[in-house]
């Protein structure tokens, strides 16, 4: 591990690390796992369907008909999003209801804010 | 494809789609590919090392010593980031120099902005 002497993880006030300072190996591993949950088109669409109803829960019975995939496949993708901490759910009676965790999405959004200018010598 | 009748992709002015409106299948596929590039801890750290030098290029000769992985492995990860449109590079003499594409990072950041409130019925 001697080569992994990166600068200490950057934290900018309340908003956590951003890409404007090198990420520690631990933070990078944690964030990469969350981004992996977003690396599938079906999961991204599921997340957007849930996030598009601000302040509401969305029944799995409304999500599944939007996709060609089977109900177990959709449930698996929802589980991946939930395990990544991006959504949460509650079972009530027959159905499971989902909602996004805005803080988690906000954190991933913030970490990508580049805050960098174009390199001066990059035009050649 | 008859089930894929999602609402038209949301665009919010100049900033492109956000998760506050359902993503189209095409947009989700495009974004998922970019998030996949971020789903590896080494790539995230590489990106942060490059992004942490605003307005500058970073020589691959400065990046490789930060990692335990071999130089070809690091080069492969840099290629994945480049093919995802998140960084660009230029070879000059012996070395390749990298810089981030702020607009690409900004787009991914924006798409995650939830803009949603906590669900009213989620406390039970």
């Amino acid at each position: 591990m001697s080569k992994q002497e990166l600068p200490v993880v950057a934290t900018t006030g309340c908003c956590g690390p951003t890409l404007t300072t090198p990420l520690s190996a631990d933070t990078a591993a944690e964030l990469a796992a969350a981004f992996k949950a977003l690396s599938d088109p079906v999961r991204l669409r599921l997340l957007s369907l849930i996030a598009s109803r601000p302040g509401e829960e969305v029944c799995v019975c409304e999500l599944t008909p939007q996709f060609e995939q089977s109900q177990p496949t959709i449930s698996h993708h929802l589980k991946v999003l939930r395990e990544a901490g991006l959504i949460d759910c509650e079972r009530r009676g027959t159905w499971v209801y989902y909602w996004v965790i805005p803080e988690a999405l906000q954190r991933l959004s913030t970490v990508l804010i580049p805050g960098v200018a174009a390199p001066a010598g990059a035009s050649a």
Side-chain angles (χ1 to χ4, degrees), chain A:
Chain A
M1 298 293 281
S2 63
K3 288 186 180 176
Q4 304 218 351
E5 292 173 4
L6 277 177
V8 173
V9 58
T11 55
T12 55
C14 62
C15 298
T18 77
L19 283 185
T20 55
T21 315
L23 299 172
S24 72
D26 284 350
T27 302
E30 181 195 342
L31 292 168
F35 283 123
K36 187 164 189 173
L38 299 176
S39 70
D40 180 277
V42 172
R43 289 200 291 272
L44 260 189
R45 287 175 60 210
L46 279 167
L47 187 65
S48 73
L49 284 165
I50 300 168
S52 65
R53 301 260 292 271
E56 292 179 43
E57 301 165 329
V58 181
C59 177
V60 68
C61 61
E62 292 182 69
L63 296 171
T64 305
Q66 304 274 2
F67 294 86
E68 291 185 327
Q69 286 80 1
S70 68
Q71 193 271 325
T73 298
I74 295 300
S75 288
H76 167 73
H77 284 306
L78 288 165
K79 184 182 177 191
V80 172
L81 289 171
R82 192 161 61 83
E83 289 179 346
L86 302 175
I87 64 174
D88 205 351
C89 69
E90 183 178 84
R91 175 179 287 279
R92 287 198 300 275
T94 305
W95 302 111
V96 182
Y97 296 82
Y98 291 87
W99 60 90
V100 294
I101 300 177
E103 298 78 10
L105 294 175
Q106 187 71 58
R107 183 178 184 230
L108 290 184
S109 174
T110 301
V111 84
L112 288 177
I113 292 174
V116 298
S123 58

